Amino acid sequence: MPSQTFPHEADIGVRGTGATLEEAFAGAALALTAVICDPATVAPREAVRIDCAAPDLELLLVDWLNALIYRMATRHLLFSRFEVRIAGTRLHATVWGEAVDVARHQPAAEAKGVSFCELKVCQQADGQWLAQAVVDV
C-alpha cells in the first residue's frame, strides 16, 4: 500500500494509491500518520472502529481523514494499520494504533483538518486508484 506526502505551502498533502479504492484510502491514512511521525514507530495495540458516509468518494475521503484526525486528537492515539471496506459511498474501517508516546514517536506536527484543495479520488489510466487531499497542520 504505497503512501506518500507532498509539499503544499503551509499545509501537507497526503496521497494513497492502490489496486483497490480501499487500498488507496488506507494509503492516504498511513500518509496522514506520516505527517505526524514515522508510522513504523506506532504499534497496532488498540483497535478503533470508524464508519463514514458521504455523497461522493471525494467527500468520503475528507470524512475518513477527518474522522482519523478527530480520534487522534480526542483519544491521543496514533494509527499504523488500516482495514478499510467501502460500499458505494459508505466506509467501514478498523484502525489499529497506540497512545502517543512523545519520546518514542517524536511528533513533528499536529494534523488539524482536511481541506478541499487538491482533493482527488479517481482510478488512473493504469488501473490504480488514487486518493489524495491536503491536511492543515
Side-chain angles (χ1 to χ4, degrees), residues 97-116:
E98 67 176 335
V100 176
D101 177 335
V102 174
R104 189 162 43 87
H105 297 129
Q106 300 180 352
E110 179 184 349
K112 297 177 186 143
V114 179
S115 79
F116 296 98

Side-chain angles (χ1 to χ4, degrees), residues 9-99:
E9 298 175 15
D11 302 327
I12 298 176
V14 295
R15 179 181 295 138
T17 57
T20 65
L21 184 58
E22 290 85 354
E23 285 180 13
F25 271 56
L30 188 62
L32 176 62
T33 297
V35 166
I36 301 162
C37 70
D38 178 356
T41 67
V42 181
R45 298 176 204 267
E46 182 178 332
V48 176
R49 299 246 330 126
I50 296 177
D51 295 298
C52 304
D56 61 45
L57 291 175
E58 289 181 343
L59 293 176
L60 186 63
L61 178 62
V62 171
D63 285 354
W64 161 237
L65 295 175
N66 278 332
L68 289 167
I69 290 168
Y70 176 78
R71 284 193 222 15
M72 285 188 234
T74 60
R75 296 186 183 188
H76 308 288
L77 296 172
L78 293 168
F79 301 109
S80 60
R81 184 173 158 224
F82 308 89
E83 186 176 287
V84 179
R85 287 177 324 204
I86 297 172
T89 56
R90 291 184 155 308
L91 178 146
H92 305 286
T94 303
V95 300
W96 289 265
E98 67 176 335

